Amino acid sequence: LSSGINAEYGEEQTKKFIFWVKRLDAPIEKKASEVQKFYAFMSKRLRGFPGFDGWSSEVVEEIVTGMERFVMVNIHSAVFNPAEDRERNQLLDARIRSLHWILPKHLDFTLPSDSEQADRQLAIAQSHLLQETTDRRNKTPHDKIRGMEQCCNALHDLFKIAHDAAAGADELLPMLIYTIIVAAPPDLYATIQYIDRFLPSDTLSSGETAYHFTNMCCAQQFLESLSHDKLSLSEEEFTHFMEGHSSHLEEALTTKFASGLLDNLTRVKECEERLRRLRGFHSKLGGNLEQLKGDVRSHRKMVESEVAEMMGLFNSLQTDMGQLMAS
């Protein structure tokens, strides 16, 4: 092949490759290898296309990335969470859900207890993490790694809010682990494997993207192998919590949050009691109103009867007077 290609050739080759790889009966690692080879082949041809002469490297890079995205959108269903990953993916999902009792103190870091800004930043980190795993539009490795990066960036901002300093790897990792536990993103293992296999290999070789992805992989491995000694707990305590005896309530009772929560619960009970009394009054009023309506109807009938009787007497009197005058 010549070093240059035209647009028609590139589109034709890409469609042929998509058709072929979707029907390839091979282990997932073989499919990943073929995709990476195709990336390299098409990237070289696109970058050597004479029509791109004079274009900035950023624009050419966007075109190459667009080709990679097009491939992955079309083969996503054939390569995401393959049979080789499903058991471990399900185990990690279940493991994360079982660790809901873990608090920041177990991971040796602290969060401001009364900072709305910090709470909001943690929520933002969780939303980015959930979006990359649950949003059906995020089908490419580029989309999914972007969600992880945004999550990590939000945690960097959270650390700065809490400590007025930049977070290093030792500070970022425990916050990321805690965020994963709280958010409980589905298919985390499958997502990490998908990115590792199908994001262009040079993207994960260096730079900020590689740094954040490495932290995500470390968090995954930590959660899979978590034991009592990594949390500074006794084996009995760890088993106690894993069996569903949450530590959250025991700790929350001594916090400002719990105090506010109890105040709110008290207010709810007061409102419920007021509502109960109001309903009783309304019911009683409804009964009295029905009785009043009955009395009004009876009185109306009595008045109508008396009026009719008086009209009868008046008519009789008029008749008698007429006869008297005639005589």
Side-chain angles (χ1 to χ4, degrees), residues 71-228:
V71 170
M72 294 313 304
V73 165
N74 283 277
I75 70 170
H76 173 269
S77 60
V79 297
F80 181 79
N81 196 17
E84 296 95 319
D85 293 347
R86 286 172 195 160
E87 182 178 1
R88 191 169 174 184
N89 184 54
Q90 291 173 353
L91 287 173
L92 180 59
D93 282 359
R95 178 71 164 177
I96 291 171
R97 290 193 297 270
S98 72
L99 296 172
H100 62 88
W101 51 270
I102 285 182
L103 298 166
K105 70 172 186 178
H106 296 129
L107 300 169
D108 296 324
F109 80 97
T110 58
L111 289 173
S113 59
D114 56 353
S115 172
E116 291 185 5
Q117 190 178 5
D119 292 342
R120 183 166 58 252
Q121 206 61 39
L122 182 60
I124 290 172
Q126 293 170 28
S127 67
H128 285 312
L129 192 58
L130 284 170
Q131 185 177 10
E132 56 89 5
T133 57
T134 59
D135 192 335
R136 293 183 178 180
R137 294 170 296 179
N138 292 341
K139 291 185 176 181
T140 75
H142 294 277
D143 295 329
K144 294 184 179 297
I145 193 68
R146 184 179 68 246
M148 291 182 178
E149 287 188 273
Q150 291 172 331
C151 171
C152 291
N153 287 333
L155 293 177
H156 278 292
D157 293 341
L158 172 60
F159 188 84
K160 190 170 183 179
I161 292 170
H163 303 284
D164 195 24
D170 291 341
E171 292 79 27
L172 176 62
L173 183 58
M175 289 195 298
L176 181 57
I177 292 169
Y178 181 70
T179 302
I180 292 172
I181 291 171
V182 174
D187 299 326
L188 182 62
Y189 178 78
T191 300
I192 290 173
Q193 293 303 306
Y194 180 66
I195 292 170
D196 189 42
R197 289 172 181 140
F198 295 103
L199 196 69
S201 55
D202 58 344
T203 306
L204 297 177
S205 60
S206 62
E208 189 175 272
T209 299
Y211 170 70
H212 289 150
F213 185 67
T214 299
N215 273 281
M216 187 63 68
C217 293
C218 291
Q220 169 217 318
Q221 293 166 9
F222 178 90
L223 291 167
E224 286 182 316
S225 61
L226 183 61
S227 57
H228 68 91

